[in-house]
Amino acid sequence: MAKSTVRKVFHMPITKARVNLGSLVRRVHLNKEYVILEKGGIPVVGIMDADELEDYLEIRDPKVQAQIARSTQAYLAGKSRPVREFLSELVAEKQQETEKRRK
């Protein structure tokens, strides 16, 4: 399960952001912060890291939503197993293939 992180949200006037755009972009990217840009004290746009935006857009894709729903149904039906078990099985299969090639 993903670790829950608290994201910092900063509000900033667009004029200040324009002057400090390079450092603002660096903060958003490296610190995974959010920035709400305001014009006349009114929020007009938000800035987030590109990777996170791609994830957000992907989750909104109906095909991805359908896959998530199918996966959830399979999990609730007990058709899943611990990842360690699955990985152990893959390693064992790989070792068997290697041994067969050696013979």
Side-chain angles (χ1 to χ4, degrees):
M1 181 176 230
K3 183 189 255 188
S4 178
T5 58
V6 177
R7 300 289 177 115
K8 294 182 181 178
V9 179
F10 296 93
H11 292 255
M12 179 180 293
I14 290 175
T15 53
K16 184 177 179 184
R18 182 177 27 234
V19 173
N20 301 298
L21 186 59
S23 63
L24 177 64
V25 168
R26 195 173 312 108
R27 271 178 53 183
V28 168
H29 178 67
L30 296 176
N31 301 335
K32 306 300 182 200
E33 298 173 352
Y34 300 120
V35 178
I36 305 295
L37 299 182
E38 299 175 342
K39 183 169 183 155
I42 299 170
V44 292
V45 69
I47 301 176
M48 68 171 37
D49 184 61
D51 288 340
E52 189 172 352
L53 177 60
E54 288 174 350
D55 292 344
Y56 169 78
L57 293 174
E58 184 176 83
I59 293 213
R60 295 189 62 181
D61 182 335
K63 293 177 194 173
V64 173
Q65 289 178 350
Q67 178 59 43
I68 291 169
R70 285 192 301 273
S71 296
T72 301
Q73 289 173 347
Y75 171 76
L76 294 174
K79 297 179 181 178
S80 64
R81 57 188 167 150
V83 70
R84 290 184 195 273
E85 180 183 314
F86 176 68
L87 292 175
S88 295
E89 183 179 309
L90 288 178
V91 168
E93 287 177 8
K94 181 80 170 176
Q95 288 173 344
Q96 287 176 354
E97 289 175 12
T98 303
E99 289 174 9
K100 285 181 183 177
R101 279 187 255 145
R102 288 182 185 166
K103 293 179 182 181

